[in-house]
Amino acid sequence: GILELLNSGEAVVEGSDSIDGREVTRIAFTGDFGTAADGTTYGTWYYVDPGTKNPVAWRMTRNTHDGGKTVTLHFDLYEQLPADEANLKLLDLAAQYPEAVVSISLQSFKYSGGWPGWPLPELSGDPADKKAEEE
């Protein structure tokens, strides 16, 4: 998730930007996400309020089989709740939907077709991926 990317060593503050008239700090992730034929660099950017550091937006561009795609998530409201038992239960899919089958395996994700219009991930050979594939 976002926290892992911020702690990955690949997050670089690029400077200031503006989203819907609001000044934000733009953080870029330096991983190689490819380049389009027209020279557009695909990537991932995280935008935060310069004072509070609260998230404002998350933007990802990727190359897909039918051209480039951009997905932007806007954080219209950001609140931090105490990490108590009641609030943690709100984040637990099994607790919220006891009748649902929750699968975290990469193989299940691939079988489902992944996200429409986005390429399916390749297994890297990492032992964690191999374990996920077997699940």
Side-chain angles (χ1 to χ4, degrees), residues 35-56:
T35 305
D38 67 2
T40 302
T41 301
Y42 297 116
T44 298
W45 297 268
Y46 185 53
Y47 301 86
V48 298
D49 181 281
T52 65
K53 307 299 186 245
N54 288 343
V56 175

Side-chain angles (χ1 to χ4, degrees), residues 14-27 45-48 50 59:
E14 284 190 329
S16 297
D17 211 331
S18 177
I19 295 180
D20 297 329
R22 179 179 180 180
E23 186 173 328
V24 295
T25 298
R26 183 180 60 249
I27 301 170
W45 297 268
Y46 185 53
Y47 301 86
V48 298
R59 180 171 293 143

Side-chain angles (χ1 to χ4, degrees), residues 64-88:
T64 61
H65 66 281
D66 59 349
K69 297 268 187 206
T70 298
V71 173
T72 303
L73 306 173
H74 290 273
F75 299 91
D76 296 324
L77 176 67
Y78 180 79
E79 297 178 81
Q80 289 184 311
L81 300 173
D84 60 27
E85 187 176 341
N87 288 330
L88 292 173

